Every structure is written in C-alpha cells, then in structure tokens.
Amino acid sequence: MTDERALREKMVATCRKMNETGINQGTAGNLSVRFGDGFLITPSSLPYDTMVPEDLVMMWWDGSYEGRRPSSEWRFHRDILKARTDVNVVLHCHSLFATSVACHHRTIPAFHYMVGVMGGTTLRCARYATFGTQALSDAALEALEDRMACLLGQHGQISLGTTLEGALWMAVEVETLARMYQQALVLGEPPVLSDEEMERVIAQMKRMSYGMGPEEEGSNDVARPRHSS
C-alpha cells in the first residue's frame, strides 16, 4: 500500500483482530509492514484496544525510528523483511497452543496435510534465545527458511504474509494446527505423511493459489463450469 494513513488504519484493525481471534493477549504481540524505505511497526507496550494509527512507528533498516519507541522485537521484524523480499508482513504473537508446543521445542511434523501451507513438510521450532535480541532474530530467520511461519522456542510464533490478511490467516492456521497436534498426541504420536505426499499436497496448494483447481495437469475428471445452451 502506498497510502500511509490507510495502511496505518489497516494495521490497527489487524492488531485488534488478533485479539478478537484469541491469538493475542494484552501487549504481547507485534506487527510490521514493509513501507517506503523501511517499515511500520507497532509500538512497545501499548494495548491494541487503545492504539491509534499515529502510534505506529516508522523504522528504517539501520534501526533508526520516528515516533514512539518500537516493539522490543523490532530486530526480527527488520531482519525478516530485509531477508525475505517475498513477504511484506511479519506478525508475532503468543497464541496459547502454538506457544505450548514451542515450550517443548517441538517441530510440528506433517501429521496433517495443512502443515503444507507453511511451505514445507514441517512447522519448525526455532531454538530459544532471549526476547528482543539479535540471537532471537538469527534463530527466527533460520527456522523461517523456505517457510511462511515458525514457532519460537519457549516464546510464541511468527507468521508471514504478502498482505495483512494473509499473515493473520497464517497465524490463525498455525494456532489451529498446534491445537490439533496436541489433541492428536493424546492418543500417541500420530502417523506422519511422507515427503512424497507432502510434495503433491504443496503442488496442489500452489495451483489453487494461482486460481486453478487442485487437479494435476492432464486430469480428465475435473470440476468445470457448466455452459448453458
């Protein structure tokens, strides 16, 4: 978005949706969006229900900023946006089930095909590092390689997107999968889909993201519009 005021308003609305969906509590989460020669990021220690567009902080790649003090996690927001030119939004929260799994340093395997929406066969968990540090940023970047989301060891989750809507959707999906995984573990370690199957799943997801059906090219039995005479 090139309209800064509209973007700020949309960021505040997204922050409030984080609370409404239950993936964020209090002042724990943070959000950033690529803008101009840097990025906009939520300020430190300000509840979303009292936040207004003017509270959002403009930051540049050298760590300088204008306005309120930025989120303590600004480093991984900056580093992810610099390294991942394929995304524009970084969303971080301490959603309950994702954080519970992260507290055990568990990477979530392909127990369900929807793990593929993160871009690979696993939802990785980054190693633990103190919040707000460069070490945490480095760990997050490593876990996010070729992925659109990751868990942070004993901390929370990070979800990425090209849009605010996409990043929020991804964060909710991470939380849903983490909850499903915990429920599945009640019955024991669930079976894991093979890498070959996950390759097929991810290929179908990519086709659908381009507006096509999930069927492989050359399939005879496909859904198609019915033409009236």
Side-chain angles (χ1 to χ4, degrees):
M1 296 178 69
T2 56
D3 184 335
E4 182 174 351
R5 176 68 189 186
L7 177 56
R8 286 172 176 266
E9 290 175 350
K10 197 168 184 179
M11 286 180 69
V12 171
T14 301
C15 288
R16 291 178 180 166
K17 285 180 182 177
M18 288 167 65
N19 283 356
E20 291 168 12
T21 59
I23 64 169
N24 191 71
Q25 306 82 34
T27 61
N30 33 75
L31 177 71
S32 67
V33 180
R34 190 187 305 278
F35 182 75
D37 296 327
F39 57 100
L40 287 165
I41 188 168
T42 48
S44 178
S45 304
L46 184 65
Y48 292 156
D49 57 358
T50 63
M51 187 183 296
V52 295
E54 291 76 16
D55 291 322
L56 295 168
V57 183
M58 183 67 202
M59 290 199 75
W60 288 268
W61 306 117
D62 63 358
S64 60
Y65 67 91
E66 186 176 85
R68 299 178 66 106
R69 184 162 55 90
S71 165
S72 61
E73 303 293 11
W74 65 267
R75 286 180 178 82
F76 70 59
H77 286 270
R78 176 196 62 183
D79 293 350
I80 292 168
L81 289 171
K82 281 184 69 176
R84 293 289 300 271
T85 56
D86 59 317
V87 303
N88 298 314
V89 183
V90 178
L91 185 156
H92 168 56
C93 62
H94 300 172
S95 56
L96 180 61
F97 289 95
T99 302
S100 298
V101 174
C103 285
H104 286 272
H105 291 246
R106 276 187 177 248
T107 283
I108 297 180
F111 78 104
H112 190 282
Y113 78 90
M114 281 296 285
V115 169
V117 300
M118 283 81 194
T121 60
T122 59
L123 173 57
R124 298 190 190 107
C125 184
R127 64 184 182 275
Y128 174 79
T130 306
F131 78 93
T133 63
Q134 187 60 47
L136 178 60
S137 179
D138 294 343
L141 277 172
E142 183 180 319
L144 284 167
E145 184 177 356
D146 300 321
R147 297 288 192 275
M148 292 297 287
C150 74
L151 305 179
L152 298 175
Q154 293 175 275
H155 188 149
Q157 61 142 303
I158 296 176
S159 291
L160 312 180
T162 57
T163 64
L164 284 159
E165 296 88 347
L168 179 61
W169 179 88
M170 186 66 69
V172 171
E173 190 60 39
V174 167
E175 178 68 355
T176 300
L177 283 166
R179 184 174 185 176
M180 289 167 59
Y181 185 51
Q182 287 190 50
Q183 291 296 308
L185 286 170
V186 171
L187 301 177
E189 287 288 342
V192 174
L193 295 170
S194 68
D195 288 352
E196 292 76 18
E197 173 57 18
M198 287 303 292
E199 286 177 9
R200 286 190 288 271
V201 166
I202 293 168
Q204 290 198 176
M205 288 176 171
K206 286 181 179 177
R207 283 195 294 274
M208 293 177 72
S209 72
Y210 296 140
M212 304 186 310
E215 300 88 357
E216 292 184 13
E217 189 174 342
S219 300
N220 292 321
D221 187 21
V222 298
R224 55 194 179 277
R226 183 170 186 176
H227 300 288
S228 58
S229 56

